[in-house]
Amino acid sequence: RLPAAKRADVERLYAWGRWCDDGGDAAAAPRLALEFVERATQDVHRIAAGARPVAAESGWLAELVGRHDLPLQAALALLEGMRSDLAPASGLSETDLLRYCFRVAGAVGVLLCPILGLQDRRHLPHAAALGMGMQLTNIARDVADDWRRSRCYLPVEWSAGLRPGDGPPDPRRVRQGVRTILDVADRYYTAGEAGIGGLDPDSRLAIRAASRIYHAIGTRIRSRGYEVLEARARVSTFGKLSLFAR
């Protein structure tokens, strides 16, 4: 576990991100969801300018910025990712996918770094890479759930043009896309773990454990022959403890 003070600040950052995400999801219409994201974005700009944000929830982020000098460009990138989630996810290219993964997950890694004690900002790309590896694993695991919502994040180059709306997903093309996405995720995990040593010593174990637990989900998917349509891959409690001990 992280020390109590750091854990509290991580939870505060999570609460702000959860508020942003839920505000878009709970909106009664796409137009209202977009308006919510725009308001949250304007609050980030106010914080960057040293002004008081409008929404009370944005004050959580402002408090963290005051204590840790969080890179607010990453907060804006996260909101841009939430904005992109309001549009249909289909027909993505490899570039589209990696941009999306940075915005919704890599940016979170960057925001966490000052809280976890990173002093050398040259390590920030490693933090982004670790978040992106985790997001790629999520996408590989959640293909079936996303398809039921008429969404597909597997790039067309990696899945032979797989798109929702063409009927049930073709298992062969799904396996092809999932295999490629996990191969790419492996490279991001390697890059991400290379930067963990730049964190405070009392932060490293928790982040390394999180990385390896997520990475193990990909290993589980591989062991099933990249079959993700019938069952959702999970790592057991015993498996998580083994990874943590290792």
Side-chain angles (χ1 to χ4, degrees):
R1 290 169 63 117
L2 291 171
K6 288 182 179 176
R7 191 165 66 249
D9 280 347
V10 169
E11 290 170 353
R12 189 170 284 107
L13 180 63
Y14 173 81
W16 172 77
R18 185 80 268 166
W19 168 71
C20 293
D21 203 26
D22 288 347
D25 289 345
R31 175 183 59 80
L32 297 176
L34 181 59
E35 289 175 1
F36 175 86
V37 174
E38 291 291 349
R39 289 196 298 273
T41 299
Q42 289 304 313
D43 263 356
V44 174
H45 285 298
R46 290 186 185 94
I47 294 167
R52 184 183 181 88
V54 173
E57 293 84 355
S58 297
W60 304 333
L61 180 65
E63 185 180 343
L64 292 172
V65 169
R67 280 207 298 277
H68 300 290
D69 190 25
L70 302 191
L72 285 176
Q73 285 300 318
L76 293 171
L78 178 60
L79 287 164
E80 190 61 36
M82 293 177 183
R83 183 181 286 108
S84 70
D85 268 335
L86 300 177
S90 178
L92 273 65
S93 68
E94 176 182 349
T95 300
D96 294 333
L97 173 68
L98 295 179
R99 182 187 301 115
Y100 173 76
C101 287
F102 170 74
R103 286 173 173 170
V104 301
V108 176
V110 172
L111 285 168
L112 282 170
C113 278
I115 298 173
L116 301 178
L118 184 75
Q119 299 298 319
D120 187 345
R121 293 206 170 192
R122 288 177 297 179
H123 286 294
L124 289 179
H126 295 291
L130 187 54
M132 291 173 71
M134 292 178 173
Q135 183 63 27
L136 288 164
T137 301
N138 278 342
I139 287 169
R141 180 194 61 193
D142 294 341
V143 170
D145 288 345
D146 287 333
W147 194 273
R148 282 190 285 272
R149 298 185 297 129
S150 298
R151 306 181 79 82
C152 182
Y153 292 94
L154 300 177
V156 291
E157 306 101 303
W158 299 355
S159 59
L162 192 69
R163 296 171 186 264
D166 295 339
D170 173 36
R172 181 189 61 80
R173 289 193 284 171
V174 169
R175 288 193 297 270
Q176 176 181 324
V178 167
R179 177 173 184 164
T180 304
I181 216 169
L182 290 178
D183 287 346
V184 173
D186 283 349
R187 298 199 292 270
Y188 279 100
Y189 281 115
T190 299
E193 290 212 7
I196 291 176
L199 303 176
D200 280 346
D202 59 10
S203 300
R204 295 171 193 168
L205 182 59
I207 301 306
R208 198 177 303 278
S211 171
R212 293 185 179 179
I213 287 168
Y214 260 84
H215 202 175
I217 295 171
T219 301
R220 179 82 169 156
I221 292 171
R222 288 185 194 279
S223 73
R224 294 179 175 179
Y226 307 99
E227 175 52 66
V228 294
L229 295 177
E230 299 300 326
R232 197 168 188 261
R234 291 181 172 84
V235 178
S236 68
T237 299
F238 179 77
K240 290 176 182 176
L241 290 172
S242 298
L243 289 162
F244 189 79
R246 204 177 305 158

